[in-house]
Amino acid sequence: MLLVGPEDDFNIKIARGLGLKLVPLERRIFPDGEICPRVQKEVRGSDVVLSLRMKSGVGRPNDYLLEVLFTLRNLKRHMGAGDIVLIMPYFPYARQDAIFRIGEPLSPSYLAEMLEDAGASSIVSVTVHLHRLGSFSEIFKKIKATNLSGFKALSESIKRLPLQDPFIIGPDTESIHWARELAQFCGIGEYDAFRKERDIETGDIRTYIKEIDLKNRDVIVVDDMVSTGGTMANAVAAAKEMGARLVISAFVHPILVPGSVEKILGAGADIIIATDTIEWGGSKASVTGDIIDTLRGG
């Protein structure tokens, strides 16, 4: 078996942990924006672990998906690979897990079908944002799908901090699941969530504050992903206004479009902790250990 992917720290750790040779993947982009991912060594006859991450800050999930689909198809059709295990730490389009308005697509189900048809034999992802479609494995019809928790990696970084009377809070009602999960991993007894309303036409966000005593407490605002930073920033500011001594912004997927980090810090966040499911230089927690354990069958 070989590991195919960019020759970065993430893939080097996974290759070493699994005892696999790393076959580099060149991520070529033409001047007009077209992509041309190139597997740089022969893989014919070998089973493959394909590991690709989206890049933070550029907001281009479509480029990422084409890169994954093209590489899968190339490995299977032209390069003679055997079974392909796809490591896709961030699964795009999962937020569109229901048809909210007539005529909208059920995006994650469509994406699952494309990955199966392109040649993936199984897939490993992390904290997939599916609240209305059941489990991650249910959207795939032909292959095994594993959804790891990114909150374990977050908790390992958080537990190293000298926290004072910690409290975990989610920025909206949906994130109560993430608050509970992180609290369990951290061994923190208290957690809750604010309430958020989003205008489905404009995307504008309004955060409703609960009356919680946060005075002189260290507060961890947790979510599964941060894109524009608006929801996270509102919750961070609310925690500060409620007297929090220290506010940590913690999330699994650092999508982070331009200006989002500044927005969160400007709202009063003292520390930002995110995992390395997406390529971001500020990631403090790594999911590579859990991926290695899963692929080993541990």
Side-chain angles (χ1 to χ4, degrees):
M1 180 173 277
L2 302 169
L3 190 146
V4 173
E7 203 168 12
D8 55 22
D9 288 343
F10 185 89
N11 287 331
I12 289 171
K13 287 178 184 177
I14 293 175
R16 286 176 178 170
L18 295 174
L20 302 180
K21 180 181 178 181
L22 175 57
V23 176
L25 180 77
E26 179 187 9
R27 308 178 86 170
R28 186 178 180 188
I29 302 176
F30 291 109
D32 63 355
E34 289 188 357
I35 64 170
C36 183
R38 174 176 171 258
V39 180
Q40 294 185 295
K41 293 183 180 178
E42 183 62 64
V43 301
R44 188 168 301 277
S46 296
D47 293 337
V48 166
V49 175
L50 172 60
S51 177
L52 271 171
R53 292 181 298 160
M54 193 171 81
K55 295 182 180 180
S56 177
V58 294
R60 300 179 73 91
N62 298 338
D63 288 359
Y64 172 60
L65 290 177
L66 279 178
E67 187 176 49
V68 171
L69 291 167
F70 285 175
T71 307
L72 279 171
R73 182 71 77 186
N74 184 27
L75 285 167
K76 201 69 178 177
R77 179 176 293 178
H78 297 291
M79 300 197 70
D83 289 341
I84 304 174
V85 178
L86 174 61
I87 298 175
M88 195 176 191
Y90 171 66
F91 194 81
Y93 287 99
R95 283 175 288 187
Q96 186 65 25
D97 59 354
I99 297 174
F100 300 100
R101 297 178 296 175
I102 294 173
E104 290 183 339
L106 193 58
S107 303
S109 294
Y110 304 162
L111 177 53
E113 292 172 5
M114 287 190 282
L115 293 170
E116 288 176 330
D117 292 344
S121 304
S122 62
I123 180 171
V124 177
S125 195
V126 179
T127 306
V128 181
H129 186 105
L130 294 175
H131 295 303
R132 304 167 187 88
L133 282 177
S135 69
F136 184 50
S137 61
E138 290 177 12
I139 68 173
F140 290 87
K141 306 304 181 186
K142 303 175 184 176
I143 67 174
K144 179 182 177 181
T146 303
N147 182 20
L148 303 178
S149 174
F151 294 100
K152 179 182 176 184
L154 282 182
S155 73
E156 290 167 355
S157 292
I158 290 169
K159 286 189 288 188
R160 289 195 288 267
L161 300 173
L163 299 180
Q164 176 177 301
D165 196 14
F167 190 98
I168 296 176
I169 195 158
D172 54 35
T173 50
E174 283 189 348
S175 62
I176 189 67
H177 306 290
W178 313 132
R180 182 186 303 115
E181 191 171 342
L182 184 62
Q184 290 170 346
F185 279 121
C186 288
I188 293 173
E190 294 184 83
Y191 64 89
D192 207 329
F194 294 133
R195 183 166 66 90
K196 177 188 77 174
E197 288 186 1
R198 183 191 298 270
D199 188 309
I200 62 172
E201 297 289 344
T202 66
D204 292 340
I205 297 168
R206 183 177 179 184
T207 300
Y208 294 86
I209 309 303
K210 285 187 174 182
E211 288 302 321
I212 306 170
D213 184 10
L214 299 179
K215 189 173 182 181
N216 296 322
R217 303 187 71 173
D218 291 346
V219 175
I220 303 147
V221 182
V222 63
D223 212 343
D224 61 333
M225 66 182 73
V226 170
S227 182
T228 66
T231 298
M232 177 61 71
N234 287 348
V236 166
K240 280 289 189 179
E241 290 170 8
M242 297 167 74
R245 184 187 78 96
L246 181 81
V247 177
I248 299 166
S249 170
F251 44 96
V252 176
H253 304 299
I255 300 171
L256 300 176
V257 303
S260 54
V261 172
E262 292 77 8
K263 191 181 296 183
I264 295 167
L265 294 173
D270 299 286
I271 301 171
I272 294 177
I273 299 177
T275 77
D276 55 358
T277 57
I278 293 174
E279 292 184 36
W280 181 49
S283 294
K284 294 182 172 69
S286 181
V287 298
T288 54
D290 294 318
I291 291 173
I292 291 166
D293 289 343
T294 295
L295 295 183
R296 279 178 173 168

